Amino acid sequence: MINCAHCKEQLSTYLDGIMTAEEKKLIEEHLSTCEQCKVAFSELKKTEETLRSLEEVEPPPWFTQKIMNRVREEAEPKKGLLQRLFYPFHIKIPIEAFATCLVVALALFVYKNTEPEMKALHRPEEISTATPQEQAQEQYDRTPSVPASKELQGKSDNMLKADTEQQKNSIAPSVFDSAGAGSQKKDTPSPAGIPERLMAEKSSGGTGSMYEAKTSETASLKKQETMPMQKTAAPPLAKLKEDSFAPSVGSAGIRSTQEAMKSPVPRELKSATVEESKQVLFTVLTNNLEATAKETENLLNRFGAKNIGRSSRQARLITFDADLPGQKVTEFFNALKTVGDVKGKEIPARSTEDYLAVRIEITGSP
Amino acid sequence: MVEVSHRKDEKDRIPADDDMEFVSRCQRGDIDAFEVLVTRHQKKMLNIVYRITGDYDDACEVVQESFLSAYRAIRKFRGDAIFSTWLTGITVNHAKNRLKQTQSRSYHEVVSLDDPLETESGQITLDPPSREASAIEQLEQKEVQEKVQECIGGLDKDQRAVLVLRDIEEFSYDEIGSILKIPDGTVKSRLSRARDALKDCLKLKKVIGDL
């Protein structure tokens, strides 16, 4: 005989019929005598029946397709590797975070690398703020004859004129010789005056320093030349700029030094570049070529032109290149009309200190 | 929406040999063969998961994941057990994991036992009226179904699994043992406790009365 506890334990397996015939017999014997266990068994049976009577649920429509879509996606990983990496529904935060970090790092790297160039771009300005001051100081120290004060400006202008007048005869031809030699291929006058102009500017840097050498040895020149060497980081552009403004320090030295002393930011750098890009061209038609050329030269001197250069590459063409004070250009233009038949645009008077590159082409009529 | 069919209509079990052919084709990289297996087993898997989790949408998701897992692992399947048992094992594991997640999620949520369950409830009314069952009978049947599902939901996940596999899906003890990877004795005792607990619950809900 078995007791109720043991019977109840076995009821579940008895219900499934998976027990030996002997065990089965024992349970059945107990159930026939024990009402409590009998009730328990029938309840268990009812429970099982209830579970079996549960209705099945149907899969949603396209369920197979949905499953297979995911399986196929999984089966072809090579095809859509990138797609899978950045597939919006499968959040791949590590990859995206890594990409962001990479971009930031790259940006920093680029910024760090380009910074020296940014500095280099600023350098010419720094140089120009420093060097003309120094030069000015030097020149001021060495040439006591040059008045620094504004009241004596006129006087210094006169002196400058006198100097340039002396200069031009001795130096100007050599300038153009060197310009001509430097640009052999430009035997015919080039229509674009800028490259030639640049050459003239550069070589006139030589004249400037020669002029300076007369008054103050060659120290200043050396300083100018060594300047770019010291600033090794400065790009070629900056060098070019330095070169191009150096002569104006040399030849227009007195004036510009005063200027540099007045304002911390020198104007030469800016004005030089501006002048280079804008050359004023006057064409004069005349019957007497030589006489007109002489008169023009006189006019240029009268209006305080500097760096006067004369060239005659063709039989009936004489070209003058000069730097003319901006405010005198209009006056010069009007004066030039008295000399010959002038073609050229009216130039509005420039602000005081600007020098304007001027080219006068005198063409003799046959 | 959930469609319901009576289990009497669908009693045909798929022979294991049939599956093996498609399994080996799958193992050679034939995806279409896997589709056959999905078509064959999806309903059974869905029902198992649905009864364990009690949520139809969850069950659909779990079944999808289960098939995906099965596909990934199919090369490792050596035919030690029949395919459906192997697949059921994967599916039940996924279902139990899902249950773990949802239970930890809804741990603090207070749910009244009288609240309507979102089971297949609505679908019965959508079904065309059965000839033999009156509206009241249908309603009663619906209530019973709900209560049974609630009671299953009251069991722990191991008991649920064994109960569903045995009393709903009618797997043998051996099969259940290999699906759940537990010894025969454990299957018996666990099933016994699950049935007792369910019986008490159903008595409490007056689904089964004093006879």
Side-chain angles (χ1 to χ4, degrees):
Chain A
M1 248 343 234
I2 51 166
N3 58 23
C4 283
H6 182 72
C7 178
K8 279 180 182 170
E9 268 178 29
Q10 298 296 312
L11 279 179
S12 177
T13 35
Y14 174 70
L15 184 72
D16 290 324
I18 43 163
M19 50 175 39
T20 59
E22 209 173 313
E23 282 173 323
K24 216 172 184 177
K25 201 180 165 194
L26 281 172
I27 299 288
E28 278 164 2
E29 271 176 22
H30 180 82
L31 285 178
S32 62
T33 55
C34 178
E35 191 61 27
Q36 204 190 344
C37 284
K38 203 179 170 182
V39 171
F41 177 68
S42 58
E43 281 173 354
L44 201 65
K45 209 174 173 185
K46 187 85 174 91
T47 302
E48 203 230 7
E49 278 166 11
T50 311
L51 282 171
R52 285 185 197 280
S53 74
L54 280 176
E55 288 160 342
E56 285 193 311
V57 292
E58 289 294 329
W62 309 109
F63 195 48
T64 312
Q65 283 75 8
K66 277 180 198 165
I67 294 167
M68 286 315 294
N69 281 348
R70 287 187 64 176
V71 169
R72 289 209 164 87
E73 199 179 292
E74 174 88 12
E76 296 156 26
K78 282 169 207 159
K79 185 187 155 198
L81 186 68
L82 277 175
Q83 263 182 350
R84 276 178 355 101
L85 289 180
F86 296 99
Y87 198 54
F89 300 111
H90 296 261
I91 300 161
K92 305 271 199 272
I93 288 171
I95 290 165
E96 279 150 11
F98 177 72
T100 311
C101 289
L102 201 72
V103 167
V104 169
L106 199 73
L108 277 173
F109 178 74
V110 167
Y111 175 73
K112 286 275 174 198
N113 270 16
T114 50
E115 212 175 23
E117 282 183 39
M118 299 292 278
K119 275 180 188 164
L121 278 177
H122 286 295
R123 188 145 287 166
E125 221 171 329
E126 285 166 23
I127 292 162
S128 58
T129 49
T131 52
Q133 287 272 22
E134 286 169 20
Q135 285 168 5
Q137 197 56 47
E138 265 182 35
Q139 286 195 354
Y140 185 68
D141 290 345
R142 282 188 200 131
T143 55
S145 61
V146 179
S149 61
K150 181 127 187 167
E151 301 94 277
L152 296 172
Q153 174 94 39
K155 198 182 166 187
S156 74
D157 270 353
N158 290 338
M159 282 174 73
L160 177 69
K161 265 184 224 165
D163 278 338
T164 42
E165 218 163 336
Q166 277 181 352
Q167 232 180 61
K168 120 208 132 196
N169 292 326
S170 57
I171 298 160
S174 75
V175 167
F176 284 94
D177 283 349
S178 67
S183 53
Q184 285 279 330
K185 54 195 168 202
K186 285 187 280 174
D187 277 342
T188 53
S190 80
I194 297 160
E196 234 180 83
R197 178 76 206 145
L198 255 171
M199 289 299 293
E201 278 277 345
K202 274 191 184 171
S203 45
S204 73
T207 62
S209 51
M210 279 169 79
Y211 162 69
E212 198 140 0
K214 279 196 282 184
T215 54
S216 61
E217 324 263 273
T218 55
S220 178
L221 171 68
K222 275 181 184 165
K223 193 168 174 62
Q224 280 173 28
E225 278 174 356
T226 52
M227 201 78 68
M229 305 278 279
Q230 285 165 355
K231 318 279 182 183
T232 45
L237 178 69
K239 270 192 175 176
L240 187 74
K241 276 192 175 181
E242 234 169 30
D243 282 351
S244 60
F245 89 80
S248 64
V249 174
S251 55
I254 299 157
R255 182 179 281 270
S256 60
T257 46
Q258 283 172 352
E259 228 180 273
M261 286 165 79
K262 274 186 283 178
S263 62
V265 181
R267 307 184 62 158
E268 295 93 61
L269 183 65
K270 294 173 197 165
S271 60
T273 48
V274 168
E275 279 168 28
E276 268 168 31
S277 60
K278 290 182 187 173
Q279 194 184 38
V280 179
L281 181 71
F282 297 119
T283 313
V284 184
L285 284 171
T286 179
N287 292 326
N288 189 344
L289 192 67
E290 208 46 56
T292 313
K294 195 142 187 75
E295 274 177 54
T296 307
E297 203 174 333
N298 289 337
L299 274 176
L300 282 169
N301 287 331
R302 184 144 50 93
F303 284 101
K306 303 180 303 171
N307 303 331
I308 299 169
R310 178 184 160 147
S311 66
S312 174
R313 292 203 194 91
Q314 283 178 2
R316 300 202 160 273
L317 180 72
I318 294 174
T319 310
F320 282 98
D321 282 303
D323 290 338
L324 207 61
Q327 80 264 37
K328 290 186 179 170
V329 171
T330 319
E331 270 179 75
F332 175 78
F333 179 68
N334 292 330
L336 203 63
K337 280 176 183 170
T338 60
V339 178
D341 190 3
V342 183
K343 284 175 184 170
K345 282 181 183 173
E346 284 274 349
I347 310 296
R350 292 297 192 86
S351 53
T352 48
E353 306 298 342
D354 278 341
Y355 271 75
L356 204 66
V358 176
R359 167 170 286 192
I360 304 112
E361 285 179 349
I362 303 162
T363 314
S365 50
Chain B
M1 294 304 269
V2 188
E3 282 177 44
V4 175
S5 69
H6 291 275
R7 54 191 312 107
K8 291 165 216 149
D9 308 335
E10 210 246 342
K11 265 292 180 216
D12 47 330
R13 298 194 90 179
I14 299 138
D17 290 343
D18 251 20
D19 280 347
M20 264 322 285
E21 188 202 324
F22 290 101
V23 168
S24 47
R25 273 174 59 187
C26 270
Q27 287 171 335
R28 291 195 297 269
D30 184 356
I31 299 179
D32 295 334
F34 192 73
E35 189 164 356
V36 176
L37 296 172
V38 171
T39 315
R40 279 184 185 179
H41 296 284
Q42 56 174 355
K43 186 173 173 180
K44 195 176 179 72
M45 297 306 129
L46 181 66
N47 275 277
I48 291 170
V49 180
Y50 172 62
R51 288 300 165 195
I52 292 174
T53 62
D55 186 285
Y56 184 77
D57 293 333
D58 267 4
C60 289
E61 253 181 70
V62 169
V63 171
Q64 285 192 40
E65 284 164 17
S66 304
F67 273 111
L68 205 62
S69 298
Y71 181 79
R72 284 177 193 148
I74 203 155
R75 281 172 201 278
K76 292 177 203 155
F77 178 70
R78 292 277 165 259
D80 304 331
I82 58 168
F83 176 73
S84 64
T85 308
W86 181 74
L87 179 64
T88 309
I90 291 171
T91 309
V92 170
N93 264 333
H94 274 276
K96 277 157 78 174
N97 286 340
R98 175 57 65 102
L99 212 59
K100 227 186 277 176
Q101 289 168 9
T102 48
Q103 273 173 349
S104 61
R105 215 182 297 152
S106 61
Y107 185 71
H108 298 287
E109 289 175 21
V110 181
V111 181
S112 164
L113 289 177
D114 298 324
D115 281 346
L117 262 188
E118 289 178 356
T119 57
E120 69 270 34
S121 36
Q123 280 64 54
I124 288 166
T125 49
L126 289 172
D127 269 353
S130 150
R131 276 168 222 95
E132 59 259 49
S134 72
I136 294 166
E137 278 172 335
Q138 273 187 30
L139 213 64
E140 279 174 357
Q141 180 65 15
K142 179 193 148 195
E143 266 179 52
V144 168
Q145 301 256 341
E146 278 177 17
K147 283 174 179 170
V148 173
Q149 188 62 52
E150 278 174 44
C151 284
I152 296 171
L155 305 175
D156 73 46
K157 61 182 193 311
D158 289 331
Q159 288 180 351
R160 276 189 225 189
V162 79
L163 189 84
V164 168
L165 292 175
R166 177 66 197 151
D167 286 344
I168 301 175
E169 298 303 328
E170 299 172 359
F171 281 99
S172 73
Y173 278 52
D174 283 347
E175 283 172 330
I176 294 169
S178 71
I179 288 168
L180 300 177
K181 295 185 175 68
I182 51 173
D184 217 37
T186 312
V187 177
K188 279 181 191 169
S189 59
R190 204 177 274 180
L191 182 63
S192 176
R193 282 201 300 277
R195 280 170 171 171
D196 280 340
L198 195 76
K199 182 187 75 180
D200 293 342
C201 177
L202 292 178
K203 268 168 79 177
L204 205 72
K205 290 187 176 288
K206 299 197 167 53
V207 176
I208 51 169
D210 300 321
L211 298 167

